[in-house]
Amino acid sequence: MKYRLLLLIGCLCLGVTFGQEKREWERRIERSEFPDSALELIIPYLDGANKIKFYLERDQDKRSYEVKLKKRRLRYSIEFDQHGVLEDVEVRIREVDIPNESFEAIRSDLGQQFSAYRIRKIQQQYPNINANPQEILKKAFQNLLIPELNYEIIIAGKEAKRYQTYEFLYNAEGGFLNKRIVRPIDKDHVLY
Amino acid sequence: MYFTKYRLALSLWLVCTPLLAQDGLDGFLQTQAVVKLPISETYTHRYQLAQRFYVTDDIQGFQLQQIDLSHLSSLKIRDNLRLALGLMYRFRDSFDRFGTDEVRLIQHLVLSNRPENTRFVHRWRAEQRIFPDGTLHRLRYRFSVDLPLQGQNLNQGESYLVAHTESLLSIGNMQRPQWDQRFTLGLGWLIGKKTVLLNSLEYRVENFNADSRQRLFLFTSLNLSL
């Protein structure tokens, strides 16, 4: 009996440690919390979609909104800035969906940077570069290969005996645009 | 919001306690503390102290059954593949007159995959359980699923759900081959930047190929990464 009480007290006391540090985070939100202007843009595309989830991401002082959905067996991610302006649309694809020449250029670049690497995720990105957001959404949901699209590739790359997760951005021809380190998705919160 | 989660865990515990008194079902409570120490980018040490209590027949309290001290050395072969070797000592002789101390050697391989928010993990483990009377070899396969409950990734202050199912085969001269099956459901919280509190419930069917026994475990684990 006394052990049960001690354990209870222990669990309750730990609660006071919550929220004492400033942090970057993302969380799932309700549809009602999503910006109205953004919601108006995507409503026509929610028809026939499932696994629709809304997220709020906060990165220091910057805030952005994201909606993820699955439609016609494709996974879409639509991002908006804090004012509800479309940033980009991303569609999850596989290696075979990238044109051969573009993919060869990408592989060549990755081979030069890493001794070993594993592609974890590929997304076809339709950025909103001074274009009509409705036009961008239309092209993305038609899965068109347009010159303005980019390929966003999440890689686990090995350099100097350690693995690090990177996000690479290539243009439609497979030309390198950007590289950044991303926070590891696989956290060790569960011990295996 | 946070106290709601604690109420959930507390409710789980209070509901389980009467279950532990059921005929044919043995009840146990195990509390453990784990410290994870990264030695390098790919190599980590893990130290664990666990105490197991069994529920007395009259459900008036818990009786200490054993204390486990263990160490695991883990090497990251690839970003989603780990190999580990470990050693455990179980102190049981001093607490349980029907049990004996045990030295356990552990080897396991872990493969994980995370297509979206949910992570799927396979663990293959071999153990050599060394008792004063002899050695038992045990092979284990565990399939696990875990996912964060508040977003795409687990952030500080958020909770996650984890479920396992594990098959075990024990072989040795001391006894006939024994098949066990375990089912686990847990709720965890990333309470600090590197501190996790996990409460889980495990149902075990032991020796189901012969004279089966059912056991219910309630685990509470505090995991700290340095």
Side-chain angles (χ1 to χ4, degrees), chain A residues 1-29 51 53-57 66-68 75-77 92 116-121 123 155-165 183-192, chain B residues 2-3 5-6 10 13-14 17 29 31 34 36 41-42 46 48 53 59-62 64 72 76-80 82 108 110 112-117 119 121 123 125 142 144-146 150-158 160 162 164 189-193 196-197 199 220-223 225:
Chain A
M1 187 62 174
K2 66 173 180 181
Y3 289 110
R4 202 192 305 185
L5 274 174
L6 279 171
L7 197 54
L8 260 175
I9 292 165
C11 286
L12 291 169
C13 286
L14 284 166
V16 302
T17 63
F18 273 96
Q20 290 183 353
E21 289 180 78
K22 186 179 175 187
R23 53 192 171 96
E24 301 167 358
W25 52 264
E26 49 78 42
R27 67 176 176 92
R28 195 166 165 190
I29 57 175
K51 296 188 179 180
K53 294 174 188 170
F54 299 90
Y55 297 95
L56 167 65
E57 293 177 5
E66 187 179 10
V67 56
K68 290 193 166 191
R75 292 182 185 272
Y76 293 87
S77 167
R92 183 128 184 216
Y117 64 89
R118 187 172 73 92
I119 295 177
R120 297 176 74 161
K121 189 161 100 169
Q123 288 184 306
I155 305 244
K158 186 178 181 181
E159 31 178 38
K161 292 186 181 179
R162 66 172 214 169
Y163 275 96
Q164 183 69 269
T165 305
R183 190 171 66 128
I185 297 172
D186 284 333
K187 303 274 276 183
D188 287 330
H189 51 276
V190 185
L191 298 175
Y192 288 105
Chain B
Y2 301 126
F3 284 101
K5 292 175 197 150
Y6 282 125
L10 183 57
W13 194 9
L14 291 173
T17 309
L29 169 69
T31 59
V34 182
K36 206 174 80 161
E41 292 285 344
T42 54
R46 199 166 96 194
Q48 178 170 312
F53 304 85
I59 204 159
Q60 287 300 311
F62 300 99
L64 179 62
L72 204 70
K76 197 187 229 184
I77 302 171
R78 257 180 19 188
D79 63 300
N80 63 340
R82 281 180 182 270
H108 80 220
V110 176
S112 64
N113 184 29
R114 193 178 191 263
E116 291 294 328
N117 295 356
R119 181 167 58 165
V121 183
R123 189 187 77 178
R125 181 179 268 198
R142 189 172 79 178
S144 308
V145 176
D146 70 86
Q150 273 87 32
Q152 302 173 72
N153 299 312
L154 187 69
N155 300 114
Q156 189 179 332
E158 293 178 350
Y160 66 93
V162 58
H164 313 296
W189 293 271
L190 188 66
I191 57 175
K193 212 170 178 181
V196 170
L197 177 66
N199 284 315
T220 298
S221 178
L222 185 67
N223 308 332
S225 294

